[in-house]
Amino acid sequence: METRYSKRRKLLLHTTENGIDRISDLPDAVLHHILFLLPIKSIAQTSVLSKRWRSLWSSFPDLDFTTINPNAISLTNSNHPNRTEKNLHTTAATGVDFITQVLALHDKFSHIRTLRFRAHLSFSHLNGLIRSATRHNVQELDVEVATDDYFNFPRSVIASESLRVFNLKSRYPGFRLPPSSVMKDGFRSLHTLSLSLIILYNQSSLLDLFSASSFPVLRKLNLDACFGLKHLSVGCRALEDLSLENCFQLLGLNISSPKLERLRVANCFDAYSDKSLVKITAPRLRFLVWENNAITNNSSFDNLSFLHEASIGFFVLNEDTSHVTKIQSVSNLLFGLSHAHCLKFGSQCIEILSSNNYFAVYLQPYSNLNSLELHTGFNKNNVLGLACLFRSSPTLQTLILKIINDQKIERRQWNREMWDLSGSEEEQFWESQTQNLKSFLHHLKVVKIHGFLECENEVSLAKFLLKHGKALQEMILCTGHCIARDSLRRQKIRSQMMGFSRASSNAKIAFQ
């Protein structure tokens, strides 16, 4: 069977029946596009075909070395008379040497559009590669490196007027940033910046690096694993997408970006500090991901009137659920979501809402909310939090419940005989909420429950929604697999559920 590589090679070497090479006559831009489909080793090998192909290789604008072993490369030796080409194809060349040689042979009048490589190398070697790329007016630079010691941020990229995208990821041990005063005046053309594993113990506050006057055209910023970072302020005027992850020592975050549309903050903040704060001012924010962050002592989420979708989760210490200032901080965050159309809450959110009566009184309504996804262990203590969210979702149409089946959580199997006699505690609770949830029950159309194991609390909620959901059209119960001895019990419960009374004549129950 002919491989994709052999087909591509035939395309490159194809001639007509008259022996005329039609491929080589194509414009450089077209041939560069064809070569882009090949691994870089194969592109390099085409340089031995003729002077024409050697010129194409030396001017090739998209150099992606991530398809090769970063530590060792073995290319087919060539008898080509050109000495530099012969050196290029030596089997003794290491991966870093290969990258160096390719950049050295690159036509000095040809720009590099993209340079990508992964390697273990020294800082001096890294700096040399990046300087060489900037001399060729590189537009996109994507680097993932490991070094034997901490290294300094390569300053040659700061003054580059051609660089549009810069991704720098350090595997180990990390790199240090130059002073903000050095960086903020550069990167005048940069629109995407991603930095990972930054060592900031000597400059724990980045309050003026990403200011309104710096990075004038930056649209996307990603900061990951900023060790030692305690205070960060972001105010870039053109910024549209911001991601901040794994900044465990962060105490203060201030974001004020008039064009910001997407924000992701995950695994951030010092959980044991009593002085942490966050302030977000983003009038055009549409998508917010706030996952596994420690609860700050103060929070402010202002002017999020364009918010469409948000996913919220916390890292919670035991004492957080009774800490007055942190409960108020959570309340401020939830208040900032009041314009959202789609919300997703992690299990920690449900725990917080269930453990404090404050939210039963003060949780504001989500009047625009159409879709709500909740992750919960669904024990008897969670129903208060669920009811609180249902009450605050008066026009909700789609409810997705993802039950976390933790063996440590005690959940009773449903027993119809006992239930018919006295009614379960969960059933009685939901019936007591009928009036409070009137608007919610009159708008809800679709319910989907994942991890449905026919336990008492799950069945009681399903029964309640069927009984009072006047607009309900579909209830999907995703039960998963069960062992053979439970199969008969499951079938019996399903049969009984199909007989539950329904407020909506259109309501259908489906088991998956």
Side-chain angles (χ1 to χ4, degrees):
M1 182 177 178
E2 193 174 29
T3 65
R4 184 171 63 174
Y5 171 73
S6 63
K7 290 180 180 179
R8 289 171 175 168
R9 187 170 179 82
K10 278 186 177 181
L11 175 63
L12 291 174
L13 301 179
H14 175 71
T15 59
T16 68
E17 64 273 11
N18 295 323
I20 301 174
D21 181 0
R22 300 296 187 187
I23 295 293
S24 297
D25 290 337
L26 293 172
D28 285 8
V30 175
L31 290 174
H32 282 157
H33 181 75
I34 294 173
L35 289 172
F36 182 73
L37 302 174
L38 296 171
I40 196 163
K41 238 170 66 167
S42 301
I43 302 173
Q45 289 170 336
T46 64
S47 64
V48 303
L49 296 176
S50 68
K51 184 182 293 187
R52 166 75 168 130
W53 287 94
R54 189 160 61 252
S55 173
L56 285 168
W57 164 238
S58 66
S59 63
F60 189 67
D62 298 295
L63 302 175
D64 186 353
F65 297 95
T66 60
T67 59
I68 60 176
N69 185 336
N71 296 316
I73 295 177
S74 177
L75 294 178
T76 304
N77 205 353
S78 168
N79 293 321
H80 196 278
N82 187 297
R83 183 178 177 182
T84 57
E85 293 297 335
K86 184 176 180 179
N87 291 340
L88 180 62
H89 291 79
T90 177
T91 58
T94 66
V96 175
D97 289 340
F98 175 62
I99 299 172
T100 303
Q101 290 172 13
V102 170
L103 293 177
L105 290 170
H106 199 80
D107 181 3
K108 63 180 180 180
F109 298 108
S110 299
H111 295 174
I112 295 177
R113 186 163 50 210
T114 304
L115 173 62
R116 295 189 180 96
F117 64 86
R118 314 280 182 263
H120 186 288
L121 74 178
S122 65
F123 170 65
S124 61
H125 214 149
L126 170 65
N127 217 21
L129 293 177
I130 292 180
R131 278 201 306 268
S132 180
T134 55
R135 282 197 295 269
H136 285 91
N137 294 314
V138 64
Q139 294 182 27
E140 181 176 345
L141 189 55
D142 189 343
V143 179
E144 183 176 334
V145 295
T147 55
D148 294 329
D149 197 0
Y150 300 112
F151 65 91
N152 295 321
F153 184 87
R155 296 196 179 194
S156 55
V157 301
I158 298 176
S160 173
E161 296 182 359
S162 62
L163 194 62
R164 303 290 186 270
V165 178
F166 185 38
N167 300 319
L168 177 59
K169 182 176 183 179
S170 174
R171 283 290 184 184
Y172 180 83
F175 62 92
R176 292 178 287 253
L177 289 179
S180 296
S181 58
V182 174
M183 291 190 66
K184 62 187 287 189
D185 293 329
F187 299 110
R188 311 313 289 178
S189 302
L190 195 71
H191 65 67
T192 299
L193 176 63
S194 178
L195 304 175
S196 180
L197 196 49
I198 315 169
I199 308 303
L200 293 166
Y201 292 110
N202 293 329
Q203 49 175 329
S204 59
S205 296
L206 295 180
L207 298 178
D208 59 349
L209 175 57
F210 301 105
S211 65
S213 60
S214 60
F215 296 90
V217 297
L218 188 67
R219 297 198 299 267
K220 186 174 183 179
L221 174 63
N222 175 44
L223 300 176
D224 178 32
C226 301
F227 291 100
L229 179 64
K230 293 186 177 181
H231 301 279
L232 175 65
S233 180
V234 179
C236 304
R237 292 187 179 277
L239 194 64
E240 298 173 358
D241 190 322
L242 172 61
S243 177
L244 182 67
E245 299 183 68
N246 302 310
C247 299
F248 305 107
Q249 296 159 298
L250 191 65
L251 297 177
L253 176 63
N254 187 349
I255 299 172
S256 180
S257 295
K259 294 185 178 181
L260 189 66
E261 295 182 2
R262 292 177 177 270
L263 173 62
R264 173 181 172 83
V265 181
N267 303 305
C268 291
F269 298 103
D270 186 343
Y272 299 94
S273 172
D274 59 356
K275 298 180 180 179
S276 56
L277 60 90
V278 57
K279 182 175 182 180
I280 310 294
T281 304
R284 296 185 64 176
L285 189 68
R286 289 180 52 79
F287 301 95
L288 170 65
V289 176
W290 193 270
E291 291 184 346
N292 205 35
N293 296 311
I295 302 175
T296 57
N297 288 75
N298 292 286
S299 64
S300 173
F301 289 73
D302 297 332
N303 196 15
L304 305 186
S305 56
F306 277 72
L307 188 64
H308 177 76
E309 184 176 332
S311 175
I312 308 297
F314 295 105
F315 171 76
V316 180
L317 300 175
N318 289 334
E319 57 267 28
D320 287 345
T321 56
S322 58
H323 196 294
V324 176
T325 59
K326 292 196 172 184
I327 291 299
Q328 182 62 52
S329 179
V330 172
S331 178
N332 292 343
L333 189 157
L334 297 179
F335 180 80
L337 310 177
S338 58
H339 296 282
H341 293 257
C342 303
L343 285 177
K344 179 168 73 173
F345 290 110
S347 59
Q348 308 88 348
C349 292
I350 309 302
E351 296 288 343
I352 294 171
L353 293 172
S354 300
S355 62
N356 198 294
N357 291 328
Y358 175 88
F359 297 101
V361 178
Y362 295 106
L363 185 63
Q364 76 293 327
Y366 298 109
S367 301
N368 298 329
L369 193 62
N370 294 321
S371 176
L372 177 63
E373 180 177 321
L374 305 175
H375 295 223
T376 174
F378 210 162
N379 56 43
K380 63 180 182 180
N381 297 321
N382 296 149
V383 294
L384 292 174
L386 296 178
C388 183
L389 285 171
F390 294 167
R391 186 180 62 255
S392 297
S393 309
T395 61
L396 188 71
Q397 295 186 15
T398 301
L399 171 65
I400 301 173
L401 198 63
K402 294 191 174 182
I403 300 173
I404 302 170
N405 289 305
D406 190 340
Q407 294 181 352
K408 297 179 181 179
I409 299 176
E410 183 179 353
R411 298 166 66 195
R412 291 192 302 168
Q413 294 294 334
W414 181 58
N415 185 323
R416 175 165 184 166
E417 286 71 25
M418 180 190 71
W419 201 355
D420 282 345
L421 291 174
S422 59
S424 70
E425 181 180 346
E426 286 83 358
E427 183 186 11
Q428 293 175 5
F429 169 80
W430 287 118
E431 287 296 331
S432 71
Q433 298 295 310
T434 303
Q435 189 60 34
N436 292 336
L437 303 181
K438 185 176 181 180
S439 181
F440 165 79
L441 293 168
H442 283 193
H443 289 85
L444 188 64
K445 294 181 178 180
V446 178
V447 176
K448 190 170 187 177
I449 304 178
H450 296 264
F452 189 81
L453 296 181
E454 294 90 11
C455 292
E456 186 175 327
N457 44 13
E458 304 160 11
V459 177
S460 63
L461 175 59
K463 181 181 180 182
F464 171 74
L465 296 177
L466 286 167
K467 182 179 179 180
H468 298 283
K470 294 186 176 181
L472 193 63
Q473 297 175 0
E474 187 176 26
M475 178 176 287
I476 304 171
L477 305 175
C478 304
T479 58
H481 300 288
C482 66
I483 57 179
R485 67 171 179 266
D486 289 336
S487 179
L488 184 61
R489 179 191 62 82
R490 171 172 287 185
Q491 290 299 326
K492 181 179 179 181
I493 293 176
R494 289 184 180 183
S495 177
Q496 293 168 348
M497 291 186 67
M498 296 299 289
F500 285 166
S501 63
R502 308 177 195 186
S504 170
S505 58
N506 298 320
K508 298 179 181 178
I509 302 177
F511 293 90
Q512 295 182 354

